[in-house]
Amino acid sequence: TRLRDLVEAVRAGQGSAMKEIEQLAHKIYGSGSMFGFDAVSEHARMLELLAGENGGDPAFIERLETCAASLEERVRSAAHLRGIQ
C-alpha cells in the first residue's frame, strides 16, 4: 500500500516521505470521521501526530511502522464489517 511504501521511504532516509505520511493520515482521519469509521479515524490521528514529530532514529521508525500497520488493520476490519473487500 501507499502507506507502507512511505514508511519504507522514511526508513531509507527520504525525509519528505514523513510529510506525505502526515498528510495521508490526516486525509484518512477526516474520511474516517465523515463516514463513521471511528477506530480508523482514531488510528489515523495517532499516525498523523506521530509523523508530525518527524523523528528519524530506529526506535521512532519502528513506532511509525507499528502505527501504520495498526491503521491498515483497522481499515481492513472496518471494510470487512461493512461487506467491502
Side-chain angles (χ1 to χ4, degrees):
T1 66
R2 178 73 180 139
L3 189 51
R4 272 189 253 143
D5 292 344
L6 289 170
V7 170
E8 285 305 312
V10 169
R11 188 179 295 284
Q14 296 176 17
S16 63
M18 190 70 75
K19 187 66 176 170
E20 287 185 60
I21 290 172
E22 187 178 7
Q23 291 170 344
L24 179 59
H26 181 78
K27 288 177 186 177
I28 295 169
Y29 168 71
S31 296
S33 293
M34 186 184 327
F35 293 107
F37 294 106
D38 295 335
V40 169
S41 186
E42 178 183 322
H43 279 77
R45 180 67 176 150
M46 289 188 311
L47 180 60
E48 178 186 8
L49 293 173
L50 183 61
E53 292 177 19
N54 206 5
D57 64 79
F60 176 83
I61 294 171
E62 185 66 33
R63 286 178 41 220
L64 186 71
E65 189 171 45
T66 299
C67 193
S70 180
L71 173 58
E72 187 175 350
E73 180 56 36
R74 294 303 179 270
V75 169
R76 275 197 199 107
S77 179
H80 180 73
L81 287 173
R82 300 260 174 116
I84 304 166
Q85 298 296 347

